[in-house]
Amino acid sequence: MTSKLIENTIRPDVRALSSYHVPDASGYIKLDAMENPYQLPERLRNELAMRLADAVLNRYPVPTYATLKQKIRATLGVPEGFDVILGNGSDEIISIVISAVARTDRRTVIMAPVPAFVMFARSAQMAGCDFVGVPLTADFSLDREAMLAAIAEHQPAVVFLAYPNNPTGNLFDEADIEAIVEALGDTGIAVVDEAYGPFAKASFMDRLPRYPNLVVMRTLSKLGLAGIRLGYLAAGAELLEQFDKVRPPYNVNVLTQVAAEFALDHIDVLNAQADAINAERSGLAAALSALPGVTVFPSRANFLLVRVPDADSACSQLLADKIMIKNMSKMHGLLANCIRVTVSTPEENTAFVDALRASLETR
Ligand SMILES: *Cc1c(COP(=O)(O)O)cnc(C)c1O
């Protein structure tokens, strides 16, 4: 009975999907999700607790989110004359943007260089769009000619460019991105996804006034607040007005709103944590590069993409040692035998290097 019900109701492509798998991490050193390993200092957490106690939980959020948006504009470099919309994580913003362009009367193409963040393709599929992935070059640069040719051929409504890119960790060449934005012109929207901006210290935000079809998406997740789920998209007023119609009116809850406003008042604390993680990244990269048969790719994010002799065996041995990382080797041909590891505290990084070294020796 149930299987008939599922067959009669649920879309075939949804039935065919496997769900986004998030393994249970209790008891593990968790280096698979690019989380900040540090919490807010206790003093700030106590202060936040008092703010949260005062949050008005019996009312719906005020859907303009005026104070939070004002703090985002003031703290995070949104240019004068530009505003933001908020999302329940940038994952929601990705689907808001795609929903706003997904047509029912003809094919709509969403494009990104690949390997890319998986939610670009998945959200496109959910909205009934075609996803076109254009392979990066062997050194993970944008293939400018291939991107421009694919844009001319497929006329994508949206091109997503993660800057730095996940899972490769590198920053694409600025001129390549600008060429793509210009090629899209008034036929497509370029979304520069700056989830790792706090680590890269590079941004397209200041280019918003130059390109009407450019929008910049960011999140507080990788900066240290993955649990509260807050993403935002900065764009010109005309595009924002349209995206805002697609956004569920109360999509950011009151607790998130209060916590985010508080965090932005203490953004220096989070930025200092990001700087500490950046400093750790150099040491971790050097330690990994010294291991036999291991290649570390340059990263401007809070993770490293690492090629090992045998990714499957490394991952299973790390799991046995209670260390969780991400095996990327099946995701794309360019990522053969690659693993992705979050840069964490000195202790956890050392535990990872030791366990990886041991796994290479017993292979
Ligand atoms: C992690 C990540 C996101 C998702 O961020 P949330 O705000 O937590 O939904 C978006 N884009 C990229 C490239 C990411 O790596």
Side-chain angles (χ1 to χ4, degrees), residues 7 35 78 86 137 252 254 268 284 309:
E7 217 177 292
E35 291 146 329
V78 179
L86 308 179
T137 65
V252 174
V254 168
D268 48 328
L284 177 60

Side-chain angles (χ1 to χ4, degrees), residues 30-344:
K30 194 171 181 326
L31 305 177
D32 62 339
M34 284 79 86
E35 291 146 329
N36 176 343
Y38 303 107
Q39 288 202 296
L40 287 174
E42 194 175 344
R43 169 182 64 85
L44 291 184
R45 273 188 278 150
N46 291 337
E47 210 179 304
L48 172 60
M50 295 198 299
R51 300 267 194 107
L52 290 171
D54 287 338
V56 184
L57 300 185
N58 57 316
R59 303 286 179 196
Y60 284 104
V62 178
T64 55
Y65 300 103
T67 307
L68 177 52
K69 286 184 183 180
Q70 159 54 30
K71 283 188 197 287
I72 288 174
R73 286 196 305 270
T75 326
L76 300 167
V78 179
E80 193 63 39
F82 286 77
D83 202 353
V84 295
I85 62 163
L86 308 179
N88 185 6
S90 41
D91 286 349
E92 187 185 44
I93 297 196
I94 294 167
S95 65
I96 288 173
V97 169
I98 293 176
S99 302
V101 301
R103 300 183 65 126
T104 50
D105 59 337
R106 61 172 164 82
R107 176 175 188 246
T108 303
V109 170
I110 308 297
M111 185 176 287
V114 288
F117 183 49
V118 290
M119 292 309 291
F120 302 153
R122 176 155 287 202
S123 293
Q125 183 190 350
M126 284 304 129
C129 298
D130 285 346
F131 178 79
V132 175
V134 180
L136 296 170
T137 65
D139 71 351
F140 305 138
S141 300
L142 285 171
D143 187 337
R144 191 198 286 210
E145 294 318 312
M147 285 295 294
L148 296 182
I151 288 168
E153 182 187 346
H154 297 284
Q155 303 276 309
V158 178
V159 175
F160 286 97
L161 299 157
Y163 186 78
N165 190 41
N166 172 15
T168 57
N170 57 316
L171 279 177
F172 295 138
D173 182 73
E174 290 174 38
D176 287 344
I177 294 182
E178 286 177 351
I180 290 165
V181 177
E182 281 166 19
L184 289 167
D186 59 9
T187 68
I189 298 163
V191 180
V192 175
D193 176 354
E194 299 185 342
Y196 301 96
F199 306 96
K201 319 264 187 229
S203 177
F204 271 70
M205 204 61 107
D206 61 0
R207 300 214 202 23
L208 284 175
R210 249 171 48 209
Y211 300 110
N213 63 329
L214 171 68
V215 303
V216 174
M217 184 172 70
R218 289 201 192 145
T219 175
L220 300 188
S221 294
K222 311 297 160 43
L223 187 57
L225 299 168
I228 73 170
R229 313 298 300 128
L230 186 79
Y232 60 98
L233 179 87
E238 286 183 57
L239 275 176
L240 280 189
E241 187 191 338
Q242 304 303 323
F243 293 145
D244 210 37
K245 297 177 196 170
V246 179
R247 182 183 62 82
Y250 307 116
N251 63 332
V252 174
N253 75 74
V254 168
L255 296 172
T256 294
Q257 187 182 349
V258 170
E261 287 173 12
F262 180 80
L264 291 174
D265 288 340
H266 301 281
I267 191 81
D268 48 328
V269 174
L270 294 171
N271 282 332
Q273 292 177 348
D275 291 344
I277 291 166
N278 269 349
E280 271 300 308
R281 182 183 65 214
S282 319
L284 177 60
L288 291 171
S289 301
L291 299 179
V294 171
T295 306
V296 181
F297 295 97
S299 170
R300 295 287 296 271
N302 65 338
F303 63 86
L304 291 171
L305 184 73
V306 181
R307 180 164 283 136
V308 295
D310 182 343
D312 291 350
S313 119
C315 285
S316 57
Q317 296 199 51
L318 285 162
L319 263 190
D321 286 336
K322 297 275 177 201
I323 298 176
M324 218 174 253
I325 57 165
K326 188 102 173 169
N327 187 350
M328 308 305 298
S329 50
K330 303 284 182 306
M331 186 189 188
H332 192 274
L334 288 169
L335 301 179
N337 280 318
C338 284
I339 59 176
R340 189 191 63 196
V341 59
T342 310
V343 180
S344 185

